[in-house]
Amino acid sequence: MGDAYLALSAELTEDQHWIAFIDAARNARKQFPEYRRIHKKAAQLLSEFSTVAQKLASLLAELQRTNVRLPVELQRHDEDIEVYFSPSESQVVRDLKGLRFLERALIQHTANSGTPLDLGRYLIKVSKIAGQFPVDFACPGVEAAISTRQDSKKTAYLRAFGALLKYSSINLSAPVVRAMAITANVILDDVDLSISEDTVRKALKRS
């Protein structure tokens, strides 16, 4: 690791960047195949949630057209109530907890306005949002690692490493790339994986 230190000495001029480099090297080592599986499952669930919400909206509209007496929560209301998603509520959708969010929003709106939320319109709105919402992880390292089609331990680690360094505003200059190669060989500690500077550059370019 002495060579890595020498390579970085002229590049990392602030303590926070040294800390960021060490953290990136450590945090880039994750079980990325599991993240790929979770990502695929989340995309499937979000799509299903969108479909189910749209189906519920259609069923409710059909039920309302029968003109039978319905609880006020299922009645149609003329007021066009706009539903806004704060960043925290969008995160709820991201985490596939839309039903819990829906329940909370209904209760909150009723408490604030004294009138029930138009459930049909709200379901349509939630369905559209769920259908368009990007499926990703908050960690840039994970996103970079699983964004490539090649499910390689070496490539995934290097892409995550590079993304975390960029996130910490560390330029991936030639000395940094050299230090990444040295560090990766130490961290991965696999005799079957020989990581050179060229290996790092190719991994960072691969999509």
Side-chain angles (χ1 to χ4, degrees), residues 55-143:
K55 178 63 175 177
L56 285 173
S58 298
L59 288 174
L60 180 57
E62 185 176 353
L63 180 60
Q64 290 168 343
R65 286 194 294 270
T66 65
N67 291 323
V68 299
R69 187 170 61 175
L70 295 171
V72 67
E73 290 81 5
L74 297 183
Q75 294 174 11
R76 181 174 179 176
H77 304 281
D78 293 332
E79 180 185 3
D80 187 8
I81 300 170
E82 190 69 27
V83 179
Y84 296 95
F85 286 81
S86 70
S88 62
E89 289 168 336
S90 294
Q91 184 63 46
V92 174
V93 178
R94 183 193 298 266
D95 292 340
L96 306 178
K97 297 177 182 176
L99 289 176
R100 184 181 301 174
F101 169 49
L102 174 59
E103 180 183 10
R104 186 172 68 248
L106 285 168
I107 295 172
Q108 182 178 359
H109 175 78
T110 302
N112 292 342
S113 66
T115 59
L117 187 68
D118 191 311
L119 183 58
R121 293 176 183 175
Y122 185 70
L123 284 169
I124 292 173
K125 192 177 297 292
V126 169
S127 174
K128 289 181 179 179
I129 291 174
Q132 299 171 358
F133 203 80
V135 179
D136 56 26
F137 291 97
C139 176
V142 173
E143 279 300 302

Side-chain angles (χ1 to χ4, degrees), residues 120-186:
R121 293 176 183 175
Y122 185 70
L123 284 169
I124 292 173
K125 192 177 297 292
V126 169
S127 174
K128 289 181 179 179
I129 291 174
Q132 299 171 358
F133 203 80
V135 179
D136 56 26
F137 291 97
C139 176
V142 173
E143 279 300 302
I146 67 175
S147 64
T148 176
R149 295 179 181 178
Q150 182 180 5
D151 191 9
S152 161
K153 175 182 177 181
K154 176 172 60 178
T155 299
Y157 176 81
L158 292 173
R159 287 179 63 82
F161 196 176
L164 291 171
L165 291 177
K166 287 182 179 179
Y167 183 75
S168 298
S169 300
I170 296 178
N171 182 37
L172 301 185
S173 61
V176 171
V177 167
R178 173 171 169 72
M180 287 177 65
I182 297 170
T183 304
N185 280 309
V186 173

